[in-house]
Amino acid sequence: MTTQSESLNSQPSTLNFPLSEFLQQLLNGLSLGAIYALIALGYTMVYGVLRFINFAHSDVFMVGSFIGYYAGKHVPERTYWGGLLVLVVAMLGCALLGMLIERLCYRRLRGSATLNVLITAIGVSLLLEYSGQVFFGATPRTFPDIFPSTNFAFGSLVISSNQILVIVVATLLMVALQLIVYRTKIGTAMRAVSLNPKAAQLVGVNNDIVISFTFGLGSALAAAGGILYAINYPSIDPLMGVMPGLKAFVAAVLGGIGNIPGAALGGLLLGTVETFVNGSQWSTYKDAIAFAILIGILLFRPAGLLGKFTVEKV
Amino acid sequence: MLSVTDLEVCYGSISALRGVSFTIPQGSIVTLIGGNGAGKTTTLRTISGLLRAKSGTVNFLGEDITSLPAHKIVARGLSHVPEGRMVFSNLTVGENLSMGAYLLSDKAVIAKNRDYVFSIFPRMKERLKQTAGTLSGGEQQMLAIGRALMGNPKFLMLDEPSLGIAPRLISTIFEKIVEINRTHGITILLVEQNANLALEVSQHAYVLETGAIVMSGESKKLRADPQLKATYLGG
């Protein structure tokens, strides 16, 4: 790592960076990855119960940022309670939005061909994006500083409080999600519906409620992702969800679609790899590399990193 | 307890049940026998609300339940153990049983039901922490029945409990079915391809053929029926 070996290369290789830079990139990567993970969880949970990719999910993420933008104007800037309040408002707002989307658009298509539902999801996605342009305008806005922010320097390593905030909030939310899914009745019902919706009905589960709850939960996490994203990349616009949404979808597939820990792992991995590539001489290709990884992993592990390959039985 | 009247069910343009009627008295074991594709599973799925009837009615405890959704039918005490067992394969045995008591909130009642399931199927207690997918076919069948019992059913519908199970376990499971009926007074509707076995444990039987009841009567008498013998009982 420390020898300058690339004599043929005219540029100095940026992969030979010192430890502090490695840690810096790792931290940047983990905080970006935590946001991808939050979004990816929504994709994977909805896939788990309904077996389709909710393409509108990335736009729920965007709406989360915009709710935060407007709510942020009503609380004092740079306070923890104000920031948390904005976070909670955005999560609740998006939970409602997600449940509404499911109720109005997807529920009546339950039981019809997956392709029909997928096309509907793309339609809902476009509807949200372009309604966003009508209501919020197409010009990017600057997200308010809702949380206090400082930088801590350790030698050449700089940690911003926002990065810590992202990692802490995302970790807490993922732990909470894990507790909901594995320790509560509705969580067990979610897993039961995902494994066998008919059998779940036969023990008395109202699948509509469970599916609605799943959309609410996933959308709330996407909203949290939207706020955390906007804190670190404070320029928001109605199409901001497209790229992070796509990456989060890649992360969900990478971890094994339908697998909750897999989505978290996939998000962290993708964010970290992307950040490292971004800091290297190949930064132009960061998105290409992210998707190349997806293709590579799916070639060798079609079910994703933590997914189990199962033949779907009818 | 349960009466089905003129039930008609279609899959698209294909008619699966063509006017099926039968009644099941409280406390009895009644069996529905018939070959592949006769409509046995369709009948159970329509009663439990997984399928919608085109016409006809299902009456349970004096109330019309034909158009209720499945989860509301379970809530009334009618439990369906589906064909192929349908245990939640990635959930543990314990979680599967808890799911069976999904509609109950009284912890004492749930604990009592769990003890009852363990008394009937002691193996479920041994396997409590194991995921259901790793159980043998027979154990999964026990779990499926146990899961249904967790919800305090008054009426139990069993779809092919002998299917894909080691012969040694089949007799055990059928003994348990009779025990559940006798000791707990749970009325049972048993669907079976193994007609011999089904007629042995039941009091009354209906024979289903291509979507219609073609014969019915006391199980004892049907066992001696020459025509039935030739078709279903292997001579």
Side-chain angles (χ1 to χ4, degrees):
Chain A
M1 287 292 276
T2 49
T3 53
Q4 197 75 27
S5 56
E6 310 219 346
S7 52
L8 289 175
N9 200 329
S10 56
Q11 284 182 313
S13 171
T14 40
L15 273 185
N16 295 339
F17 41 61
L19 183 68
S20 72
E21 193 170 335
F22 174 80
L23 288 176
Q24 182 77 64
Q25 294 289 41
L26 186 66
L27 190 72
N28 295 350
L30 288 178
S31 69
L32 178 65
I35 294 171
Y36 288 158
L38 285 177
I39 314 172
L41 287 165
Y43 279 112
T44 228
M45 286 194 290
V46 165
Y47 183 87
V49 292
L50 287 181
R51 298 285 183 277
F52 90 99
I53 302 298
N54 176 20
F55 282 112
H57 190 61
S58 57
D59 304 299
V60 172
F61 161 85
M62 172 274 291
V63 173
S65 292
F66 273 93
I67 295 178
Y69 171 79
Y70 288 109
K73 294 186 162 175
H74 299 282
V75 296
E77 286 195 343
R78 296 190 193 85
T79 54
Y80 280 106
W81 71 267
L84 286 176
L85 191 66
V86 168
L87 184 72
V88 170
V89 167
M91 287 175 76
L92 289 177
C94 283
L96 279 179
L97 176 68
M99 281 149 73
L100 201 67
I101 292 172
E102 188 273 328
R103 183 70 191 82
L104 296 179
C105 310
Y106 303 144
R107 188 172 297 179
R108 60 191 66 212
L109 290 171
R110 204 138 345 123
S112 54
T114 316
L115 199 58
N116 300 4
V117 195
L118 274 179
I119 291 168
T120 308
I122 294 173
V124 175
S125 167
L126 292 172
L127 177 75
L128 287 175
E129 286 168 17
Y130 292 95
S131 308
Q133 300 214 337
V134 171
F135 292 114
F136 311 137
T139 23
R141 313 231 180 162
T142 310
F143 197 78
D145 288 325
I146 51 173
F147 283 103
S149 80
T150 37
N151 287 339
F152 306 103
F154 300 95
S156 59
L157 180 66
V158 180
I159 303 174
S160 80
S161 60
N162 281 344
Q163 282 181 323
I164 300 174
L165 190 77
V166 168
I167 293 173
V168 169
V169 171
T171 308
L172 287 178
L173 287 173
M174 284 190 250
V175 169
L177 177 73
Q178 195 75 1
L179 290 176
I180 290 174
V181 171
Y182 286 94
R183 293 274 183 274
T184 65
K185 198 165 177 176
I186 184 103
T188 315
M190 268 173 70
R191 287 184 290 147
V193 170
S194 135
L195 287 168
N196 194 327
K198 281 204 179 90
Q201 277 175 285
L202 289 180
V203 296
V205 175
N206 184 344
N207 289 13
D208 287 342
I209 290 180
V210 172
I211 288 167
S212 192
F213 179 79
T214 307
F215 269 84
L217 204 57
S219 303
L221 293 178
I227 299 288
L228 297 177
Y229 190 81
I231 288 172
N232 282 291
Y233 309 89
S235 164
I236 64 168
D237 69 87
L239 297 181
M240 66 179 277
V242 177
M243 218 42 205
L246 205 55
K247 300 269 180 58
F249 168 57
V250 170
V253 175
L254 196 65
I257 189 87
N259 183 306
I260 290 177
L265 177 70
L268 290 175
L269 202 65
L270 196 71
T272 311
V273 170
E274 186 185 318
T275 308
F276 274 101
V277 174
N278 205 12
S280 76
Q281 70 220 43
W282 302 293
S283 61
T284 325
Y285 307 110
K286 65 170 178 155
D287 293 338
I289 289 172
F291 291 107
I293 289 173
L294 172 75
I295 295 169
I297 287 186
L298 292 187
L299 276 177
F300 294 103
R301 280 192 67 90
L305 292 173
L306 299 186
K308 265 185 259 172
F309 184 72
T310 48
V311 180
E312 275 188 37
K313 277 184 264 183
V314 186
Chain B
M1 176 166 233
L2 181 90
S3 63
V4 171
T5 318
D6 287 328
L7 207 57
E8 281 186 49
V9 179
C10 295
Y11 294 109
S13 60
I14 302 156
S15 160
L17 294 185
R18 302 174 291 126
V20 169
S21 301
F22 58 86
T23 56
I24 294 165
Q26 183 136 17
S28 60
I29 300 184
V30 173
T31 183
L32 196 58
I33 54 181
N36 256 337
K40 306 183 299 286
T41 297
T42 305
T43 307
L44 294 198
R45 289 185 163 197
T46 312
I47 295 173
S48 65
L50 287 179
L51 288 175
R52 285 276 153 260
K54 191 180 141 214
S55 65
T57 56
V58 179
N59 198 291
F60 181 61
L61 295 170
E63 281 178 85
D64 187 359
I65 59 162
T66 323
S67 53
L68 286 185
H71 66 270
K72 291 203 171 142
I73 292 176
V74 198
R76 288 170 182 239
L78 192 162
S79 198
H80 177 186
V81 180
E83 185 180 16
R85 309 176 284 265
M86 291 197 190
V87 293
F88 300 117
S89 54
N90 283 359
L91 266 56
T92 64
V93 168
E95 285 175 322
N96 266 276
L97 292 178
S98 301
M99 279 309 292
Y102 186 75
L103 294 170
L104 305 179
S105 44
D106 188 335
K107 289 221 167 74
V109 176
I110 296 173
K112 203 186 94 213
N113 291 354
R114 190 180 279 249
D115 288 342
Y116 175 58
V117 171
F118 291 155
S119 75
I120 296 179
F121 301 119
R123 209 175 294 190
M124 293 302 104
K125 195 172 187 174
E126 296 162 23
R127 302 259 191 269
L128 209 54
K129 295 252 185 294
Q130 216 170 309
T131 51
T134 63
L135 299 179
S136 76
E139 288 168 338
Q140 288 190 15
Q141 187 62 55
M142 294 176 190
L143 179 57
I145 297 174
R147 184 179 65 185
L149 290 174
M150 287 296 292
N152 268 345
K154 301 181 182 100
F155 181 80
L156 200 57
M157 301 196 293
L158 302 166
D159 196 349
E160 304 270 8
S162 74
L163 196 71
I165 286 173
R168 188 174 43 86
L169 277 177
I170 293 179
S171 56
T172 316
I173 286 175
F174 274 75
E175 277 164 28
K176 297 301 181 184
I177 292 171
V178 174
E179 187 186 327
I180 291 164
N181 171 255
R182 293 226 178 105
T183 61
H184 240 59
I186 297 174
T187 312
I188 288 171
L189 171 57
L190 175 66
V191 156
E192 258 301 335
Q193 279 200 43
N194 188 335
N196 256 323
L197 207 55
L199 290 174
E200 207 173 298
V201 299
S202 61
Q203 286 101 49
H204 203 91
Y206 291 89
V207 182
L208 201 59
E209 224 169 70
T210 56
I213 303 270
V214 292
M215 199 187 285
S216 72
E218 266 180 59
S219 300
K220 249 185 257 167
K221 284 185 185 151
L222 285 185
R223 279 172 91 181
D225 187 280
Q227 198 196 332
L228 194 77
K229 250 185 180 169
T231 330
Y232 296 107
L233 305 177

